[in-house]
Amino acid sequence: METTLRGVGVSHGVAIGEVRHMGTAVLEPPAKQIPTEEAEREQGRARQAVEAVAADLIARGNLAGGEAQHVLEAQAMMAQDPELMADVDRRIAVGSTAERGVYDAFASYRALLANAGEYLAGRVADLDDVRNRIVARLLGVPMPGVPDSDEPYVLIARDLAPADTALLDPALVLGFVTEEGGPTSHSAILARALGVPAVVALPGAGEIAEGTVVAVDGSTGEVFVEPSDEKRAEMESAAAARKAALSATTGPGATSDGHKVPLLANVGGPADVPAAVAAGAEGVGLFRTEFLFLDDSKQAPTEAKQIAAYRAVLEAFPEGRVVVRVLDAGADKPLDFLTPADEPNPALGVRGLRSLLDHPDVLRTQLTALSKAVEGLPVYLEVMAPMVADRADAKAFADACREAGLQAKFGAMVEIPSAALRARSILQEVEFLSLGTNDLAQYTFAADRQVGAVSRLQDPWQPALLDLVALSADAARAEGKSCGVCGEAAADPLLACVLTGLGVTSLSMGAASIPYVRATLAKYTLAQCERAASAARATDSAEEARVAAQAVLSGE
């Protein structure tokens, strides 16, 4: 009998197929003692396993390319963390086996982050995956991971680590469903980049029996277990219609009555550019430069290395707009040379622009590199600061840009509620705003963006979040300046219409989402988008807001 489950849809599309479950996680190693004379040998085994796993993660990243490569390289750095390895050595020295030492050291680190309120303690899938891979290698058992199958299937897991998500084969993995995770987790972001339909935060997903046929709607978050023939036909028809609409709509983003809404791409570096160009991106709305810095957490990349990376992206969009976010370090992206090591809650501490203002040499080098990278190129460069809290922050950043001789527009990200509430004040110092809806939701609702248990508060349809978007857009309109959205909210086609109705002037997203957003925007007038936005803001929950907007746009 057909049953319906609902999670959080994070990657558009429909997948219908048999369920396959993720391989079993590594079992906890036995807590047996070893003689003192064996400690050195066990420490050597642990180090070899760590290096092998790190090398494997880097190799997977090289195969995957793009943003996935940066994620996996960061995971490899996690495996080699010197403090973790020192803890492993200490545990082995007092009698633990290599595998038990690794297991316990990672468990201790995991608990430490959680108890400290670490901003991305919720990104536990990354940490657990590294541990499981090291322990599996030491135990000589198969790595937990994506199942082997000759036939296409729908993958179900408690959570998916980046190493698994990055190398999913879309020809075999029709879609995936996870019990944990949130709409802005690494797995969700990579699923969108791959174009694989995905639903996360679905309680009980693991109880669906192997081989059961399910139909997954990555747009609505619905999962139909043993769907009827009618339901399958309905979903397949809707998917075909959506595909036809995508093919029929090309060119710049705009509403049906010609109101232009530039559709831009979020990129992490040059490797992400081909997909953005292929999707018809009109430029880059978020160039995440931190991935360049994560290659070596102990020192900043040289000016020459930065110039080469920036220029490679800038050259791809002649006459287009490229918005570069300066280094956003701290919290989930700690850098040894920049990030305080003893903050009780890094999410609320020295991160983003605060770190750069404490290290003006790092900011100066980056701004100088950008200035040199854009020389002679017919591109519209805009540079923005992350984690701007008030006018003083905005002024400090604008002053630094001018001192570096940067010929570009200077902007501020709106990720902190104070910036939305005082947007007009901030716009006295900068020329544009860009809403980072992922962090803005996190700080508005005190809900870690990686924790599935609070995923309803991470939903960008929350009316309170829409209110903050409206405040920012209204302030920009009053000042005659632009206000874009570069958070994952822009990747939702229906929400893109609402954001347009709120007054947002551009939308930036993962390349795979651009065709969906372009096709949906082209169906409605600006007035319809404005009415949908008003209807959504008049509700009291994310679900009510979504339903209200859909009702307006469908003419109900």
Side-chain angles (χ1 to χ4, degrees):
M1 178 181 293
E2 178 182 308
T3 56
T4 304
L5 305 175
R6 183 181 288 277
V8 178
V10 296
S11 184
H12 307 300
V14 169
I16 302 174
E18 292 188 359
V19 163
R20 296 286 182 273
H21 285 270
M22 180 66 86
T24 305
V26 175
L27 297 175
E28 181 177 346
K32 65 180 183 181
Q33 292 290 107
I34 60 168
T36 303
E37 59 269 20
E38 292 183 16
E40 187 174 344
R41 179 178 65 84
E42 289 294 288
Q43 288 169 338
R45 285 183 63 229
R47 282 191 291 274
Q48 288 175 358
V50 166
E51 292 304 319
V53 166
D56 177 63
L57 289 168
I58 290 171
R60 285 169 175 258
N62 291 335
L63 284 173
E67 188 167 333
Q69 181 174 3
H70 301 302
V71 171
L72 293 176
E73 287 174 350
Q75 213 181 359
M77 289 171 56
M78 182 187 294
Q80 298 169 304
D81 183 271
E83 290 188 18
L84 259 177
M85 284 311 301
D87 191 18
V88 171
D89 283 343
R90 284 193 295 270
R91 293 173 186 276
I92 294 173
V94 295
S96 288
T97 60
E99 47 267 34
R100 187 70 206 193
V102 167
Y103 187 91
D104 288 341
F106 271 80
S108 176
Y109 187 50
R110 190 179 195 265
L112 177 66
L113 293 178
N115 291 335
E118 171 69 33
Y119 168 45
L120 278 179
R123 191 161 281 167
V124 167
D126 299 35
L127 187 65
D128 287 351
D129 182 59
V130 172
R131 177 203 65 200
N132 290 348
R133 290 174 185 278
I134 297 170
V135 172
R137 191 171 189 90
L138 288 165
L139 291 174
V141 300
M143 294 283 180
V146 177
D148 291 327
S149 176
D150 295 328
E151 298 296 326
Y153 59 91
V154 174
L155 180 64
I156 290 185
R158 172 166 288 281
D159 205 343
L160 281 172
D164 296 314
T165 315
L167 294 183
L168 290 179
D169 181 356
L172 284 177
V173 182
L174 301 171
F176 67 75
V177 180
T178 66
E179 293 192 63
E180 299 294 332
T184 58
S185 65
H186 270 155
S187 293
I189 293 171
L190 294 177
R192 286 188 284 270
L194 287 166
V196 177
V199 172
V200 302
L202 181 69
E207 298 171 13
I208 301 174
E210 186 91 0
T212 301
V213 174
V214 297
V216 178
D217 190 326
S219 299
T220 66
E222 292 173 308
V223 175
F224 302 94
V225 181
E226 297 182 338
S228 65
D229 291 341
E230 292 77 12
K231 175 58 71 175
R232 293 178 67 159
E234 175 190 326
M235 295 183 71
E236 287 169 348
S237 175
R242 191 178 300 156
K243 185 175 181 181
L246 294 179
S247 301
T249 308
T250 58
T255 58
S256 63
D257 56 341
H259 175 73
K260 295 187 181 301
V261 187
L263 303 181
L264 312 171
N266 295 343
V267 305
D272 293 332
V273 167
V277 172
E282 298 168 59
V284 172
L286 173 62
F287 181 175
R288 299 183 176 100
T289 60
E290 60 268 20
F291 289 121
L292 181 63
F293 287 76
L294 289 171
D295 287 345
D296 184 350
S297 70
K298 299 190 182 303
Q299 61 182 0
T302 64
E303 181 181 297
K305 183 176 181 180
Q306 291 189 53
I307 291 171
Y310 303 151
R311 195 169 180 88
V313 174
L314 292 166
E315 287 176 334
F317 296 96
E319 306 299 332
R321 175 187 177 200
V322 175
V323 184
V324 177
R325 179 175 70 189
V326 295
L327 176 60
D328 183 16
D332 62 320
K333 294 162 285 194
L335 296 171
D336 292 347
F337 66 90
L338 200 68
T339 309
D342 56 352
E343 289 187 304
N345 190 340
L348 304 178
V350 182
R351 63 166 293 201
L353 180 61
R354 299 168 186 175
S355 292
L356 292 174
L357 295 179
D358 280 352
H359 298 80
D361 55 322
V362 175
L363 177 58
R364 188 181 308 110
T365 298
Q366 184 170 26
L367 294 175
T368 301
L370 283 165
S371 182
K372 293 180 179 179
V374 77
E375 286 179 359
L377 295 181
V379 63
Y380 298 96
L381 175 63
E382 300 183 7
V383 182
M384 61 185 181
M387 300 300 292
V388 170
D390 56 16
R391 183 172 178 173
D393 279 350
K395 183 179 187 304
F397 177 66
D399 287 346
C401 290
R402 282 188 283 267
E403 288 169 11
L406 185 60
Q407 299 299 308
K409 284 187 175 182
F410 317 141
M413 291 199 70
V414 178
E415 301 165 285
I416 302 172
S418 64
L421 293 168
R422 300 290 294 171
R424 196 159 183 180
S425 170
I426 287 171
L427 284 166
Q428 305 310 303
E429 304 294 343
V430 295
E431 298 173 82
F432 69 93
L433 300 176
S434 183
L435 288 140
T437 52
N438 304 346
D439 270 324
L440 186 58
Q442 172 173 250
Y443 290 123
T444 298
F445 297 104
D448 191 315
R449 54 190 274 193
Q450 301 302 317
V451 178
V454 292
S455 62
R456 77 172 186 86
L457 297 172
Q458 301 155 2
D459 192 324
W461 281 94
Q462 285 284 355
L465 188 65
L466 299 181
D467 288 344
L468 292 175
V469 173
L471 279 173
S472 303
D474 287 347
R477 186 187 300 112
E479 294 296 326
K481 297 180 179 180
S482 63
C483 177
V485 168
C486 64
E488 291 302 315
D492 179 334
L494 182 61
L495 185 52
C497 295
V498 168
L499 294 172
T500 298
L502 292 173
V504 166
T505 55
S506 66
L507 299 166
S508 189
M509 64 209 76
S513 297
I514 291 175
Y516 289 93
V517 173
R518 181 191 293 118
T520 304
L521 269 177
K523 292 164 58 178
Y524 306 109
T525 65
L526 176 59
Q528 286 177 298
C529 292
E530 289 172 342
R531 288 196 296 273
S534 295
R537 289 182 67 192
T539 65
D540 294 314
S541 73
E543 182 58 30
E544 290 174 357
R546 187 182 289 106
V547 170
Q550 181 65 70
V552 169
L553 294 177
S554 61
E556 295 177 8

